[in-house]
Amino acid sequence: MSQVVVYRPDSQMRNPLKLFSEMWRDLLASRELAWQLTRRDISAKYRQSFLGILWAFLPALITAIGFSFAKGSGVVNIGNTDLPYPAYIMFSMALWQTFVEAINAPVQAVATAKSMLSRINFPREALILAKLGEIGFNFGIKLIFIVALFLVFQIPVTWSVFLAPVALIHLIALGTFLGLLLAPIGALYQDISMGLTLVTGLWLFITPVVYPVPQGGVFGQIVQLNPVTPLLVTVRELATTGVVSNPTGFWIASAIALVGLAFAWIVYRLGMPFVVERISS
Amino acid sequence: MTVINQVSTSISSTQSEVILSVDGLSKKFCRDLKQSLLYGVQDMASELIGAKRKGSTLRPKEFWALQDVSFQLRRGEALGLVGKNGSGKSTLLRIISGLIKPDIGQVEVRGRVAPLIALGAGFNPVLTGRENIYANMSILGLTRQEIENCFDRVLDFAEISDAIDAPVQSYSSGMAARLGFACAIHTEPDILLIDEVLAVGDLKFRAKCYRRLAELKSRGVAFVLVSHSSNSILSKCETAMYLSKGKLIMSGDAAVVTRRYENDLFLEGAPPATGELQRQQRSVHESPGLDVTGVSFRDRRGHKVTVPISGEKAELCIQCKVRHRIADTNMVVSIRERVGEGDKILVLSTLHDKTPFSVSAGANEIRVEFPYLGLKPGSYLLDLHIYQGSYTLLDSVQEFSFAVEGLGSMSECAFYQPRRWNAVQLVSQTD
C-alpha cells in the first residue's frame, strides 16, 4: 500500500522507461473505471431519450434514404457499386459514423469531464477507454441493423467476415489517434471542436462512402491518399466479397493508425496536467 | 514577514513515518486568460520534447501562486491550512493530489490520497443514487469489489436509504452533498485532503462527519484541512500553516498560527489605523466654548496605547480645552466597523445613560471606561459628538480610526464575552 509517488517539474520524457511502465499500469488500472463510466454514460443517455437506441443508426438511415432517392432520380451521378446501393451506403455510413465518433470522442470526453479532471486524479486513460466502449456499443446497435440489411438484400458473405472486426479496429484506432492528439489543445481552445465538425464534414466527400472508389484522375488520387479510404474499404470488402483490393494501402494506413495512436497517447497523458492547470485556475 | 518554524509538539511525530513530504514547492499562474492558454500550450510542447523548463523565471503577466513551500506530514497527523482566498491553499492541495505539476520543488506521497475537494464529482443527475455511488467511487479509485464491500456503510452514513433508487436530480442539495461526502470518506485513504467541505448538511450530519474523521485519524489517516474558520482548525489539528500570497508565513502550533492569521485578517485592508488624534484648539469666534484636542486609548495600567486589546480593560480618553465651565455636557460615541455594511455596532451616550457631566475651564479629559473591551479584533471608525444639554453641539470628531487586537482566538465571535468557568459538585439531597 505504501506506494511512493513523486511529483517533479521535470519532463517525464526524460525518463521514458518509467513513463511507459506508468502508462501500462494506468491502462490496466483504468479498465474497471472505464467500464463504470461507459455504463453510466450509456444508461444516462438512453434514459433521457424517447427514441433511445434508434439514434445509433438513424443518421445513417436518413442519409442512405436521401442518397438512394438522389441516385435513383438521377440528380447525382454515382457509379455502380458492387453491393445494392441502399445497402452499400448504409453500411458505409455506419462505418464512417463510427470513425467520426472515434475522432470526436476524446475531445468530447475531456470537455464533459472537465470538472472531474480538475478535482480528482484518476487514470486519464479511463475517459478514453470509456468512450471507446460507448463507440463499440453504438456500433453493436448498428450491427444489428446491418445484419438485417444484409438479409433483406441477400448479400452473400464469406468467412473473411470474421476478419472484418480487425480492420474495423484499425479504423477506430485512426480516429482515436487524431482525436487523442487534439484532445489536450481542444480542452483549451474551442476552435478544435468547432473545426472538427467542419473538417469531418469535408472529409466525408473525399472518402468513398456515398460513392464507390474512383479510379484515376486528380480526385481519385486524393481519395487514394486519404488514409481512411483503405481502412474503410477493407472493412467493407472483408465483410462482403472477401477480396481485399488494396492490401498495401491497408497496412500502411494501419501502421499510421497504430503508431500514431501510441504517440497520441503520450501527448494526451503528458498534456493533461497542463490542461487541468489552465482550465480551472 | 519572516517564516517561523516551530518544532512540532506532537509526541508521535518523531516516531511515525512521513507520508507526505513537500519540498521547496513553487507554482506560477497567469491571470490573463488568453496568455494563460498560450503558456499552457507552450508548457505542453516543452514537456513533450523533454526540454528543461525554466521554472524559476516568471513570464509576462505571471505571478507566484505558491512560492517555496515546504512541510512534512506524518501518519495520523492533522495539518490545518489557513489563508485568505487566493493565498495558494487550493493550488497546494491540487499539486499534492497530482492534478497539476509543480514548477519548482517536489512532492513525495506515500499511499492513497483522497481529495474531499470534489464531493459528488461525476454525479450524473439522471442516474439513481445507487448507480452514482458506483460511478463516483470508481472515479475515486475503488474496485467494484471494494465498492460492494462498503456500499451498505456508505448508504447508512449518507442516510438516504429510501431514496437510493431515485435519480439524484430529485435529491435535495443536502442529500446530494451527504451522498458525495459519504462516498469520499469511505475510500480508505492514507491522506485526506479536506477543502472547506465540512459545511455540508445539517448540524447533526456535520457532527457525524467529524466523528468519522476522528475515527479515521485514530487509525493513522493523515489530514490536510483547509479552512477559513480557525475554530475548526483548532479543534482538529495540532499543527497549522499560514499561507499568504503563495508564501508560507508561519507554521507550527495551531493555536499560535491561527492567532497570527486572525490578527492579520482583521487588521488588513485598512489604512494604518491611527488610534490617536491630536488637533488644534479653534479660535475664539469659531469655538462655541469647548474644543476636542485629542482622542486616545489607555490600557488597564493607564498607559497610552494606540491599539486596545479585546477583552481587556480599556479607556477611551478625549482631551478638550474648555473656555468656561459647562454644567450639563453630554457625549455620544458611535462606533462602526471599517469593513462590511458600515452599520453602527455600538452607540454609547450620556443622554441615554442619563449621566451628563460637567467640565471646568481649562484642559479636561473625558474618560469612558470599558471594564472589558467588548469589540472583537478588527478595524473601526468612531464618531464623537459633544453637546451642551441635548441639542447644542459643542464639538465633534468624525471617523476617528482605530484597531482592536485580540489575544485569544475570537473567530466566529461577534463580541467579547467576559466569563468565568466553574464546575460545581452538587450534593445530592436524596435520603
Side-chain angles (χ1 to χ4, degrees), chain A:
Chain A
M1 198 56 218
S2 69
Q3 170 197 41
V4 184
V5 188
V6 182
Y7 303 112
R8 282 200 184 86
D10 314 325
S11 166
Q12 285 174 277
M13 287 302 269
R14 293 179 160 249
N15 194 347
L17 282 181
K18 187 162 167 279
L19 174 66
F20 296 149
S21 77
E22 280 174 4
M23 284 166 74
W24 181 247
R25 188 198 66 206
D26 280 356
L27 185 68
L28 292 184
S30 58
R31 284 172 308 173
E32 200 155 2
L33 172 56
W35 172 240
Q36 291 291 342
L37 292 179
T38 308
R39 274 185 28 166
R40 181 195 72 174
D41 291 344
I42 292 175
S43 48
K45 190 166 142 195
Y46 290 119
R47 217 166 281 185
Q48 267 188 311
S49 152
F50 184 69
L51 290 178
I53 56 171
L54 269 180
W55 284 111
F57 54 80
L58 216 52
L61 186 68
I62 301 293
T63 323
I65 292 173
F67 272 95
S68 299
F69 263 121
K71 187 169 183 283
S73 61
V75 176
V76 289
N77 181 19
I78 292 169
N80 279 326
T81 50
D82 43 3
L83 303 177
Y85 190 66
Y88 177 88
I89 190 171
M90 231 176 302
F91 185 31
S92 305
M93 265 321 271
L95 294 178
W96 172 256
Q97 247 193 350
T98 304
F99 171 70
V100 171
E101 277 175 27
I103 290 193
N104 287 326
V107 181
Q108 277 173 5
V110 172
T112 47
K114 257 183 189 177
S115 72
M116 229 165 82
L117 282 168
S118 64
R119 290 145 144 195
I120 303 180
N121 189 9
F122 58 93
R124 271 56 172 122
E125 283 78 7
L127 283 182
I128 306 303
L129 285 186
K131 272 290 177 187
L132 287 176
E134 205 181 321
I135 292 172
F137 176 83
N138 287 347
F139 188 78
I141 306 284
K142 291 185 185 105
L143 198 62
I144 298 170
F145 191 64
I146 290 165
V147 168
L149 206 70
F150 274 38
L151 290 176
V152 169
F153 286 95
Q154 295 181 332
I155 297 167
V157 289
T158 58
W159 285 109
S160 67
V161 72
F162 293 107
L163 287 176
V166 178
L168 178 67
I169 285 169
H170 292 185
L171 181 67
I172 294 174
L174 182 68
T176 312
F177 151 46
L178 296 172
L180 211 47
L181 201 59
L182 294 173
I185 307 225
L188 296 181
Y189 291 101
Q190 292 289 309
D191 309 52
I192 299 295
S193 58
M194 290 188 278
L196 264 182
T197 323
L198 199 71
V199 170
T200 49
L202 281 173
W203 203 337
L204 173 62
F205 289 104
I206 56 162
T207 311
V209 173
V210 298
Y211 52 81
V213 186
Q215 303 299 326
V218 180
F219 184 67
Q221 268 179 351
I222 294 174
V223 173
Q224 286 296 336
L225 282 177
N226 174 3
V228 186
T229 305
L231 294 176
L232 195 138
V233 170
T234 305
V235 182
R236 200 162 57 201
E237 286 167 346
L238 285 173
T240 54
T241 57
V243 183
V244 178
S245 57
N246 184 5
T248 328
F250 171 73
W251 286 114
I252 291 173
S254 298
I256 294 173
L258 297 175
V259 173
L261 184 60
F263 171 70
W265 181 9
I266 297 175
V267 172
Y268 170 75
R269 187 185 166 91
L270 297 186
M272 281 326 277
F274 297 98
V275 171
V276 168
E277 182 180 327
R278 301 293 164 181
I279 56 179
S280 52
S281 60

Side-chain angles (χ1 to χ4, degrees), chain B residues 288-300:
Chain B
L290 183 149
D291 297 303
V292 174
T293 53
V295 182
S296 60
F297 286 98
R298 282 181 206 279
D299 68 5
R300 61 192 157 91

Side-chain angles (χ1 to χ4, degrees), chain B residues 107-129:
Chain B
V107 176
E108 206 175 309
V109 183
R110 285 164 202 271
R112 178 188 273 170
V113 178
L116 270 190
I117 314 166
L119 293 185
F123 272 6
N124 188 311
V126 189
L127 301 183
T128 67

Side-chain angles (χ1 to χ4, degrees), chain B residues 23-77:
Chain B
D23 204 10
L25 196 67
S26 295
K27 182 77 202 168
K28 49 196 181 181
F29 275 146
C30 176
R31 281 214 182 87
D32 182 87
L33 181 67
K34 279 240 151 116
Q35 197 76 52
S36 164
L37 295 182
L38 206 61
Y39 287 150
V41 176
Q42 274 175 15
D43 290 346
M44 255 189 251
S46 65
E47 170 84 16
L48 273 169
I49 57 172
K52 260 218 152 43
R53 285 170 75 198
K54 293 189 192 73
S56 51
T57 49
L58 288 179
R59 293 170 285 191
K61 292 187 184 168
E62 279 189 327
F63 65 97
W64 290 109
L66 273 184
Q67 205 170 7
D68 199 22
V69 173
S70 304
F71 69 95
Q72 287 190 330
L73 190 65
R74 288 161 212 277
R75 207 166 273 290
E77 206 173 56

Side-chain angles (χ1 to χ4, degrees), chain B residues 398-424:
Chain B
Q398 303 282 350
E399 304 211 327
F400 168 69
S401 159
F402 70 100
V404 174
E405 266 185 8
L407 288 183
S409 171
M410 278 194 53
S411 74
E412 297 182 36
C413 297
F415 61 91
Y416 179 84
Q417 169 62 54
R419 68 260 182 189
R420 219 166 272 136
W421 304 86
N422 296 307
V424 180

